[in-house]
Structure formats: C-alpha cells, structure tokens
Amino acid sequence: MKGQTLTAKDINIRDPFILVEGATYYLYGTRAASFGVNVGGVDVYKSDDMISWSEPIECMNSEEFGLNKGVNWAPEVHRYKGAYYMFITFTQENGLRGTYILKADRPEGPFLPHSRGAVTPDGWECLDGTLYIENGVPYLVFCHEHTQIIDGTVCYIELSADLTRSVGEAVTLFAGSSPFYIRQAPEDSHYVTDGPFMFRAENNTLLMLWSTFIEGQYAECLVRFKDGSIKNAFEHLQPLIDNDGGHGMVFRAGERLFLTYHKPNRTGCERPHFVELKEAADGVPYIVK
C-alpha cells in the first residue's frame, strides 16, 4: 500500500481496534498522549499486511463538535447496514463518561455525531461500549465504571435499530470481583472492568474479551456464553494474557484469527500488539506460540 511508513512500534495508541475491509486493515485507537484526555479526536492507520502502516489520518475531530471536554477513549468502528459507526467514550456535560455513536460513509471518516448523546444509562459513569448483534437486534455491551461503584461491572443494553439511542434497562452480567482468578482484596479496593468485545468462534460459540487487573498486572480475560446467546449462562475462562497487556479485540484475516491489544499499560509506552489465535475443538481461542 502506497505511503506505508510506520511499524506497530511507532504507533503510540491504547485500545487498538481493527476493521477489515477487503484487503485493507484499518487500525483505530485512543491517542495515548495524556491518557486520552483532551486529545481532540481519533486517528486511523491503514495497512495491507499488518506490518507496515500509513501515517495517522484524522478520522474524527472531537473539538469540532464540542466533545473534547475530557476523555476520547476506545474508538471502535463497525460496519452496520451499509455505513460505518464509531463507538467511543466521551466525557458528558454532567462530568460523567459515556459511550457515543458517530457515523461515516467510509472507514477513513469523517465520523460525525449520530446518537442522541450518550447511549449508556443516564447518571452512570460508563466506558468502552461495543456493538453486539444477536438475532438481528443491536446491543451495546459496556462497563459501569469502578470509579462510581467500586466493583466495576460489565453490562449490556438494547439499542434502537438506527443506533441513535438505547432501549429499555441495562442488564448487568458480572462484577469485576467475580472471576475465580481474582484474589479477594480489602473492602475499599476497586475492581476494574473495561474493554469488552464480543465474538463468535467458527462453531458458533459466543465469547467475550474484557480486561481487568490480576495481582497488579493488566490482563486480557475471556468469558464463554452457553448456547450462543448473551442472555444465557456464562463462565469465566482462563485469561489469555496476564502480563501487562489488555483492552483487545479479535478479527479474522482470511482463514486466520488474530488478537490485537495494547502493551505495556503505561502512558507513553503503549503499542498495538498482534498475535495469532487458534480455536480449540470447543471454540475457545488460544494464542499460537
């Protein structure tokens, strides 16, 4: 691809997200300067091999729409009904964080406001909303922040078909303290939940990535749902990564499956990492060594 000049080591972003369109990979992420606070928007990087990347292309300017009041966190871009929708966390007028939805005609943007403000519940401090579709119905999977409720949670809420608003009440799936691998902490300790991402294995197993801290190390965790529905029972599986990397997502490149995540989890040092996954017979992915 003409103009490819960067490698992943040159790209300082958090929360990497890949959109695959034909033979092109589009990489989005949180501008890592100042931990994504008041950074003024989002860039996209393009590649045809996941090795060499273009210079950053600004695809969304949050200052232009009065959305640069605080965080510009975790942009994800999903193709839905012929258009491209960005799910991103901004600081609202009331000072609380929430997920907004923006829209564009192409992956490079420009992405313009689409939803009627935040689509996360009113009065909640939320982050990292992701799109999930089940039986044709769109849902937002997101986190209710530990900063407000101490023990952060992962939740979902139905979205309107046009993605302009949420519908009904949010459903809480689990709290950050609940997985078997989380060690009990003092009563006033916070339990972080962030970065949920839903995906299906080839055998239709429904899984979710999410991140937290395990004994002080940022980690990429995994949940499996029963019978392929977010509304059914689920179980926590062994984490995929537990050594200071997380907030990832998975994508398919032809017949191959990849995980991207940021590592290390230190401001100014974060870089997107790419590892190949394989699916076990039960659909659960594991990292190819």
Side-chain angles (χ1 to χ4, degrees):
M1 179 179 292
K2 185 178 179 181
Q4 289 181 312
T5 61
L6 306 178
T7 69
K9 292 181 180 179
D10 301 314
I11 301 174
N12 181 206
I13 60 171
R14 301 177 61 83
D15 322 321
F17 187 92
I18 291 284
L19 172 71
V20 182
E21 286 284 285
T24 303
Y25 302 94
Y26 295 89
L27 170 63
Y28 307 86
T30 302
R31 290 174 175 170
S34 304
F35 201 69
V37 177
N38 301 127
V39 292
V42 175
D43 302 313
V44 60
Y45 302 80
K46 297 167 63 176
S47 176
D48 55 13
D49 59 9
M50 288 190 292
I51 298 173
S52 297
W53 295 89
S54 71
E55 292 286 345
I57 303 164
E58 183 173 87
C59 61
M60 189 278 294
N61 185 312
S62 60
E63 188 68 37
E64 182 179 354
F65 304 107
L67 295 172
N68 194 35
K69 298 178 178 65
V71 305
N72 293 235
W73 281 354
E76 298 189 0
V77 174
H78 299 262
R79 186 170 185 173
Y80 176 78
K81 294 188 175 180
Y84 298 90
Y85 293 86
M86 178 179 286
F87 290 67
I88 182 170
T89 299
F90 290 122
T91 303
Q92 303 174 75
E93 292 283 354
N94 62 8
L96 298 174
R97 293 185 282 270
T99 294
Y100 290 63
I101 304 174
L102 293 81
K103 182 180 180 181
D105 294 327
R106 58 192 192 118
E108 296 92 339
F111 285 88
L112 308 179
H114 177 71
S115 63
R116 304 171 189 171
V119 292
T120 39
D122 290 341
W124 289 26
E125 178 105 293
C126 301
L127 81 169
D128 298 350
T130 186
L131 177 65
Y132 168 63
I133 298 173
E134 185 170 300
N135 297 324
V137 178
Y139 295 90
L140 182 81
V141 182
F142 66 96
C143 294
H144 192 178
E145 277 241 65
H146 70 100
T147 51
Q148 185 179 52
I149 59 173
I150 309 298
D151 194 357
T153 58
V154 176
C155 311
Y156 71 88
I157 192 168
E158 185 177 337
L159 295 173
S160 61
D162 62 2
L163 304 186
T164 58
R165 59 189 175 85
S166 55
V167 177
E169 300 296 322
V171 176
T172 296
L173 290 170
F174 60 87
S177 63
S178 62
F180 63 88
Y181 45 77
I182 298 297
R183 183 172 295 178
Q184 187 64 35
E187 186 175 347
D188 60 349
S189 291
H190 287 225
Y191 295 88
V192 172
T193 53
D194 69 28
F197 178 77
M198 307 291 294
F199 65 103
R200 288 188 184 275
E202 290 286 356
N203 69 356
N204 203 45
T205 297
L206 180 63
L207 301 127
M208 178 175 65
L209 291 175
W210 68 287
S211 289
T212 190
F213 287 86
I214 301 175
E215 298 186 8
Q217 293 290 301
Y218 200 41
E220 191 69 84
C221 305
L222 194 60
V223 169
R224 175 171 56 189
F225 292 86
K226 183 179 180 181
D227 298 329
S229 175
I230 197 172
K231 299 178 181 180
N232 290 340
F234 61 87
E235 61 179 327
H236 292 282
L237 306 178
Q238 287 290 345
L240 280 171
I241 296 167
D242 60 5
N243 59 348
D244 200 31
H247 198 124
M249 57 86 65
V250 298
F251 62 97
R252 297 189 185 276
E255 298 299 317
R256 302 171 71 186
L257 185 67
F258 288 90
L259 164 71
T260 183
Y261 62 100
H262 77 249
K263 179 186 173 84
N265 192 44
R266 297 194 301 275
T267 300
C269 302
E270 311 95 328
R271 298 293 186 272
H273 286 249
F274 300 89
V275 295
E276 187 169 1
L277 302 176
K278 293 286 188 183
E279 293 178 359
D282 60 1
V284 176
Y286 60 91
I287 295 174
V288 177
K289 303 298 184 182

